[in-house]
Amino acid sequence: FLSIEAKGLVVELPLTVREAVKGAKVIVPTLEDPVVLTVPPGTQGGTDLRLKSKGITYRDGTRGDLFFRVSIRIPDVRMADSALA
């Protein structure tokens, strides 16, 4: 869910296929308050979306970036089948 990488703090962002294909506005957590993140249409799984200066504060006082790594959630086939019945 959360990892620290060389480029900054990375949070997994699960999206539905529809959100990834059509784009979406999703509320995401930050180290302060939640914010609205715009997901561009056609976003691929593995894409990193960046919130500049919303990550960890470094010793020199500068602020790193916060990244949201997109993962695509595929609906459970059993649930989809029962919804179609």
Side-chain angles (χ1 to χ4, degrees):
F1 167 69
L2 177 70
S3 63
I4 298 175
E5 296 182 7
K7 64 181 174 179
L9 194 59
V10 179
V11 179
E12 183 180 334
L13 178 63
L15 296 176
T16 64
V17 173
R18 181 185 197 112
E19 290 169 327
V21 170
K22 294 193 168 233
K25 291 190 183 295
V26 294
I27 298 172
V28 295
T30 68
L31 297 176
E32 291 86 35
D33 296 317
V35 298
V36 175
L37 178 68
T38 300
V39 177
T43 297
Q44 298 291 323
T47 300
D48 287 341
L49 303 174
R50 179 177 76 153
L51 289 178
K52 189 174 180 172
S53 300
K54 292 289 188 182
I56 297 170
T57 302
Y58 296 107
R59 291 181 190 159
D60 65 2
T62 60
R63 193 86 188 260
D65 297 334
L66 177 59
F67 293 88
F68 290 88
R69 184 160 295 147
V70 173
S71 64
I72 308 298
R73 283 187 317 213
I74 304 298
D76 185 326
V77 175
R78 292 170 291 176
M79 291 177 69
D81 285 345
S82 66
L84 295 174

